[in-house]
Amino acid sequence: MVEQPSDADRAEASEKSLQRMWKFVENFAEKSGSYLHPQREITEFLVIGLAKHVDDLGRPLCPCNFYEDKEEEVKRSTWICACEEMQKYKYCH
């Protein structure tokens, strides 16, 4: 069982970015035929990470990977949501 995101987790990103990323994730899944994780709390952790990256980097860099240099990864765009894996397999972590 996965923990529920806490208020402290949610506070890592601005409310504006959280709302924007929820809308993006839900719309992308609907339009592309992709699937969100069946455990909503996992999707929420993902959305929090995307929103934090939007706040910090200006782009929704996939929070599921480790990056030595996040700014360099943003320039490459490989892991910008919807990342290549998401587009290919239609499934998000």
Side-chain angles (χ1 to χ4, degrees):
M1 182 89 175
V2 176
E3 283 185 37
Q4 294 290 323
S6 67
D7 289 338
D9 294 321
R10 291 180 193 97
E12 291 184 23
S14 69
E15 185 62 32
K16 179 181 177 182
S17 291
L18 286 169
Q19 289 177 6
R20 179 178 165 207
M21 288 297 95
W22 269 116
K23 184 176 179 178
F24 171 78
V25 166
E26 290 168 346
N27 285 340
F28 182 83
E30 183 180 322
K31 290 179 182 180
S32 69
S34 300
Y35 299 94
L36 301 178
H37 198 282
Q39 291 179 270
R40 183 145 174 102
E41 56 272 14
I42 291 176
T43 300
E44 186 172 0
F45 277 117
L46 172 78
V47 168
I48 291 167
L50 290 171
K52 182 175 179 354
H53 283 158
V54 167
D55 290 340
D56 295 347
L57 304 165
R59 302 285 307 276
L61 183 66
C62 180
C64 301
N65 297 309
F66 170 78
Y67 310 101
E68 281 193 38
D69 185 342
K70 290 180 183 180
E71 288 83 10
E72 191 60 36
E73 289 296 333
V74 166
K75 291 177 189 173
R76 288 189 204 151
S77 293
T78 303
W79 294 106
I80 299 298
C81 192
C83 67
E84 290 180 5
E85 286 183 354
M86 177 72 168
Q87 293 179 46
K88 181 177 180 180
Y89 299 112
K90 305 291 187 210
Y91 185 81
C92 186
H93 311 273

